[in-house]
Amino acid sequence: TLPELETALSGKAEVLSADIPSGADAQDVDHFLSAIVAACERHAESTVTVDVIHGYRHFSFLMYTGALYLAALGRVTIDAIYYALLNPQPQLSPFFDLTPLLELPRWVHALETLRETGSAKVVAKLLRGHPTAATTGTDGKAIAEIMDRVSDAHGAGLPIELGREVGRFFAHKEEAFRKLLGSDHRL
């Protein structure tokens, strides 16, 4: 289907392909991921849309892993990850946006950091410029500032200040925080 995709996107977007192993052997996984990273490294600072529709079933998982790795490196921007469910004709085959699966590990890491260290700095970082803040009327930056102050008070061993900031969060920002996360279709 690569020629069809190239034809459909001609003049609209550049389509690149990379030769990858079939994944029949265990070492093919490393080669697969290396090929993805090498292909994207040649186009550093590009925006990439990932298609996990075509190929063997396990390619979807490998592409997701590769996209997570590339996003973590920060050398390319993963715009979206799409999967299409193939229905028999005449039913429509819907597309699913799997992009939220890139955001979920970041939140898991942030919550693990909070639980293990008491620092909400990673949570604050995720809240700054949160994409749904404007649509929900919530200020992710204001919530992030409280998270930073909670972390600073905890790290400095200041129980009065810690209690004051935690109280401020629960009194003024807890509902906004819930609303912000509840409206986030990426999670």
Side-chain angles (χ1 to χ4, degrees):
T1 59
L2 181 61
E4 291 177 34
L5 181 64
E6 288 172 324
T7 301
L9 293 177
S10 179
K12 297 175 188 163
E14 184 178 10
V15 177
L16 303 170
S17 64
D19 290 330
I20 54 171
S22 67
D25 297 319
Q27 68 268 16
D28 283 354
V29 172
D30 288 338
H31 294 129
F32 184 97
L33 294 174
S34 295
I36 292 170
V37 171
C40 289
E41 288 289 314
R42 289 191 301 270
H43 303 281
E45 300 180 23
S46 295
T47 300
V48 176
T49 301
V50 180
D51 169 4
V52 295
I53 302 165
H54 301 94
Y56 299 117
R57 188 174 299 142
H58 61 283
F59 281 4
S60 297
F61 295 106
L62 292 173
M63 286 300 298
Y64 169 68
T65 303
L68 276 176
Y69 182 68
L70 289 166
L73 288 176
R75 294 190 184 125
V76 298
T77 300
I78 306 296
D79 177 53
I81 300 178
Y82 293 109
Y83 177 78
L85 178 65
L86 182 60
N87 285 328
Q89 294 285 347
Q91 290 179 308
L92 293 177
S93 295
F95 272 84
F96 295 104
D97 183 356
L98 301 180
T99 310
L101 294 177
L102 287 178
E103 194 65 20
L104 186 59
R106 292 182 184 116
W107 281 98
V108 170
H109 169 70
L111 294 175
E112 286 175 343
T113 300
L114 177 61
R115 187 185 73 242
E116 292 172 6
T117 69
S119 174
K121 294 281 186 181
V122 183
V123 173
K125 182 179 177 184
L126 290 173
L127 289 170
R128 282 191 177 77
H130 196 275
T132 61
T135 59
T136 60
T138 336
D139 187 1
K141 290 180 184 176
I143 299 169
E145 287 172 9
I146 290 177
M147 294 291 176
D148 281 334
R149 290 193 302 265
V150 164
S151 295
D152 293 343
H154 179 271
L158 302 171
I160 294 171
E161 290 79 359
L162 176 61
R164 182 176 48 226
E165 293 303 330
V166 168
R168 188 174 289 150
F169 171 78
F170 283 111
H172 304 289
K173 298 296 180 185
E174 179 186 16
E175 187 60 35
F177 184 64
R178 288 178 186 275
K179 187 176 179 182
L180 187 71
L181 294 181
S183 68
D184 192 345
H185 301 291
R186 300 172 309 152
L187 300 176

